[in-house]
Amino acid sequence: MIKEKIDFSIVPHQYSMCLNSKCPKASTCLRQLAEQSATEDLQYWSIINPKRLATLKSECPYYRSNTKVRYAKGFIGILENLPHKQIQAIVPYLMGAFGRRTYYRVRKGERLLSESEQQMIRNIFKRHGMNDVLEFDAYIDDYDW
């Protein structure tokens, strides 16, 4: 099996890595793949306590799959196709779900939307009579760190 190599520059700052290369899921775990791609100029890093890992008897709660997920980026296009009255009815619910500042960031695509957040937005629109299939402004496949 070919081991996936992760470009360490994309690993989130202070991402907790795993040193357990003997784990049965090591070849598909982002924490292990990040550790393997750490560069020698990295002075300090965050790791999951190996002593804690040794006590685990079942599924590892720290496991993060290297399968990419589909994030949505922005939904200005959806809003532009709605009548003003419908926008006025929906936006308060979206702001309530995300908070005012985050709402503007996700609307513009500055912050990506997870699958569950996309579904939440679809549900809000559906509750307000929009049964059309919602297409977000763009989609990005990336790791779920």
Side-chain angles (χ1 to χ4, degrees):
M1 181 196 287
I2 298 173
K3 277 202 169 182
E4 181 175 350
K5 193 77 174 149
I6 299 233
D7 175 3
F8 195 75
S9 68
I10 67 168
V11 175
H13 182 67
Q14 291 296 314
Y15 188 67
S16 294
M17 294 180 261
C18 179
L19 302 177
N20 186 5
S21 60
K22 302 218 183 314
C23 173
K25 292 187 173 183
S27 65
T28 62
C29 183
L30 286 173
R31 296 187 187 283
Q32 177 59 211
L33 295 169
E35 186 275 329
Q36 292 170 10
S37 67
T39 56
E40 56 278 345
D41 61 332
L42 184 65
Q43 292 183 27
Y44 304 98
W45 54 351
S46 175
I47 63 166
I48 296 168
N49 183 351
K51 292 177 184 178
R52 169 77 176 123
L53 289 173
T55 67
L56 298 176
K57 302 290 184 235
S58 59
E59 278 299 300
C60 178
Y62 308 105
Y63 175 76
R64 293 290 177 271
S65 173
N66 66 338
T67 302
K68 291 185 176 185
V69 295
R70 191 172 199 212
Y71 290 97
K73 185 174 181 179
F75 54 91
I76 290 175
I78 296 169
L79 293 174
E80 285 176 345
N81 291 318
L82 294 178
H84 183 71
K85 265 190 162 189
Q86 206 169 13
I87 293 172
Q88 285 183 309
I90 291 173
V91 167
Y93 288 94
L94 294 169
M95 281 187 183
F98 290 104
R100 186 178 192 87
R101 185 163 184 243
T102 302
Y103 160 76
Y104 285 108
R105 291 184 61 227
V106 296
R107 185 186 75 171
K108 290 189 282 184
E110 291 175 1
R111 178 179 148 323
L112 299 178
L113 294 160
S114 69
E115 289 282 350
S116 62
E117 291 172 325
Q118 294 171 49
Q119 191 56 52
M120 178 187 61
I121 290 171
R122 285 186 194 98
N123 292 342
I124 290 171
F125 277 90
K126 192 176 273 190
R127 281 196 304 268
H128 287 86
M130 265 207 63
N131 294 317
D132 303 345
V133 175
L134 298 181
E135 287 295 324
F136 291 88
D137 296 344
Y139 294 91
I140 295 174
D141 293 327
D142 201 0
Y143 298 114
D144 182 11
W145 296 101

